[in-house]
Amino acid sequence: MSEYAKSGVDIGAKMAIIKRIKSAVNSTHSAAVLGGVGSFGGLFQLDADTILVASTDGIGTKTMLAAQTGRYRGLGHDIVNHCVNDILCQGAHPLFFMDYIAASRLDQSIIVTLIEGMAEACRAANCALLGGETAEMPGVYQPDQFDVAGTIVGVVNARDRLPTTDIEAGDVLIGLESSGPHTNGFSLIRRVLTSPPNPLFVYREWEQEVELVEAALAPHRSYLPHITAIRGQFTIKALAHITGGGFYDNIPRVLPNGLGVQIDLGSWPIPTFFTELARRGNVPEAEMYHVFNMGIGMIVIASPEQAATIMTAPLEFPRYRIGQVVKGSGVRL
């Protein structure tokens, strides 16, 4: 049994559910629905030029670590930025966002902090926080526990839709830095941090002392400014947001049949947070790459020529050439 499964999360079961629901979901689609189940965002074509892209997600059990340590504000950024990144993978820019917060009891100060964080993230993305829902459900949620989810709608011109249809073997993978584990793997993170129960232990990162819990709760990075800068100058073929399922489940979502990727381990610096987590939790390397982003939150796929110019361009964020598209299937590490 994997360490993640011991924490109560079965990635395989999730993927099996997605396969089983495809026929039911597809039965509701009209000709305006593009693509199918499994994309980062759902696409609905309004007219020949305009496609709406929608995505919904949650913060998950990161909320429990935030509650344990009293650090809530970053959670608002987490849910907005996660959803922004998902629709970016279809080439879309956000229009509006809606939230859902549920708890056994609504704590006014916590709710206000969460919404303020969402509003900050929405302003940064030029996205309207259009509305939401709060619900008290004692008995469903345990005392002092809560859940946060959100839905985003964006728009893309049909000619700018991603992924493109010309991905081929030899195309290059460029990785963009994450800010930490983002919003994934927290059932495993909490198990490691609370066994023994001392989530505030300190490690060293880039000559600074850092609490592991502080690194874990760093807000999910938005890649909207990064991708806007890249697409404003260069042509790319696909984007893969490295979220739940890690490298193994997310990169294949944007590849055509008959193609996989080779990831070059050692081509980017793995943040100490992940190496400490693996060591203290005795988590195998392959499982780490199946659960976490390992320091790479978004992957850009481009032709070798475009990738070379992206890598040398004076862009104001780190990026790494981390692999290439190959014939076959799946992810090879």
Side-chain angles (χ1 to χ4, degrees):
M1 179 183 289
S2 72
E3 295 301 315
Y4 205 21
K6 291 176 185 177
S7 303
V9 179
D10 187 339
I11 295 176
K14 172 185 173 181
M15 301 310 293
I17 290 171
I18 291 174
K19 289 181 180 179
R20 292 185 63 184
I21 65 174
K22 279 187 176 182
S23 60
V25 173
N26 289 340
S27 70
T28 70
H29 291 177
S30 68
V33 177
L34 308 178
V37 176
S39 297
F40 285 97
L43 295 92
F44 190 92
Q45 188 149 19
L46 289 181
D47 55 44
D49 297 320
T50 309
I51 299 172
L52 293 180
V53 184
S55 184
T56 189
D57 219 306
I59 299 174
T61 56
K62 189 173 185 177
T63 59
M64 298 179 71
L65 187 59
Q68 182 180 349
T69 57
R71 307 182 190 196
Y72 299 101
R73 194 170 193 87
L75 298 181
H77 292 260
D78 282 321
I79 187 58
V80 172
N81 292 345
H82 187 130
C83 290
V84 166
N85 292 340
D86 275 351
I87 65 170
L88 266 179
C89 293
Q90 318 298 136
H93 281 243
L95 293 173
F96 60 85
F97 179 84
M98 302 187 75
D99 67 90
Y100 172 79
I101 303 171
S104 59
R105 180 184 63 85
L106 295 176
D107 183 305
Q108 189 174 124
S109 64
I110 293 174
I111 302 300
V112 170
T113 298
L114 290 171
I115 299 298
E116 287 177 345
M118 292 179 196
E120 289 171 357
C122 282
R123 287 195 299 270
N126 194 27
C127 173
L129 181 53
L130 198 59
E133 165 72 356
T134 54
E136 284 189 318
M137 291 191 282
V140 175
Y141 293 95
Q142 297 298 315
D144 300 320
Q145 292 184 5
F146 60 98
D147 191 22
V148 182
T151 297
I152 197 166
V153 174
V155 65
V156 62
N157 190 288
R159 67 174 180 271
D160 297 323
R161 176 185 167 189
L162 294 175
T164 62
T165 59
D166 59 344
I167 300 172
E168 59 185 356
D171 286 341
V172 174
L173 275 62
I174 297 172
L176 307 183
E177 277 189 338
S178 69
S179 56
H182 286 174
T183 54
N184 300 107
F186 275 84
S187 293
L188 177 53
I189 289 171
R190 288 187 305 105
R191 189 171 75 83
V192 173
L193 292 186
T194 58
S195 181
N198 181 21
L200 301 180
F201 68 80
V202 172
Y203 70 100
R204 295 194 67 80
E205 176 83 272
W206 299 304
E207 304 304 319
Q208 295 181 337
E209 289 190 345
V210 182
E211 289 180 350
L212 193 64
V213 71
E214 179 183 342
L217 290 174
H220 198 128
R221 174 166 287 162
S222 169
Y223 293 99
L224 180 59
H226 305 65
I227 300 308
T228 299
I230 290 174
R231 298 197 78 187
Q233 303 178 55
F234 311 104
T235 300
I236 66 173
K237 297 186 178 184
L239 295 168
H241 186 198
I242 308 304
T243 61
F247 286 69
Y248 288 102
D249 290 344
N250 287 294
I251 303 174
R253 296 167 73 175
V254 302
L255 297 175
N257 291 333
L259 293 177
V261 297
Q262 174 68 53
I263 301 295
D264 301 326
L265 297 184
S267 58
W268 75 92
I270 305 297
T272 304
F273 172 86
F274 295 106
T275 56
E276 281 289 309
L277 195 72
R279 183 179 68 83
R280 293 173 183 268
N282 195 30
V283 185
E285 181 179 68
E287 186 173 358
M288 290 294 294
Y289 283 88
H290 203 172
V291 175
F292 300 108
N293 64 56
M294 300 303 286
I296 298 294
M298 181 73 79
I299 291 176
V300 179
I301 299 179
S303 70
E305 296 76 19
Q306 289 292 305
T309 56
I310 292 171
M311 289 300 300
T312 58
L315 301 171
E316 297 181 357
F317 49 86
R319 60 248 186 233
Y320 307 95
R321 188 189 189 284
I322 66 168
Q324 52 279 322
V325 178
V326 297
K327 293 181 179 180
S329 64
V331 176
R332 309 171 194 172
L333 296 172

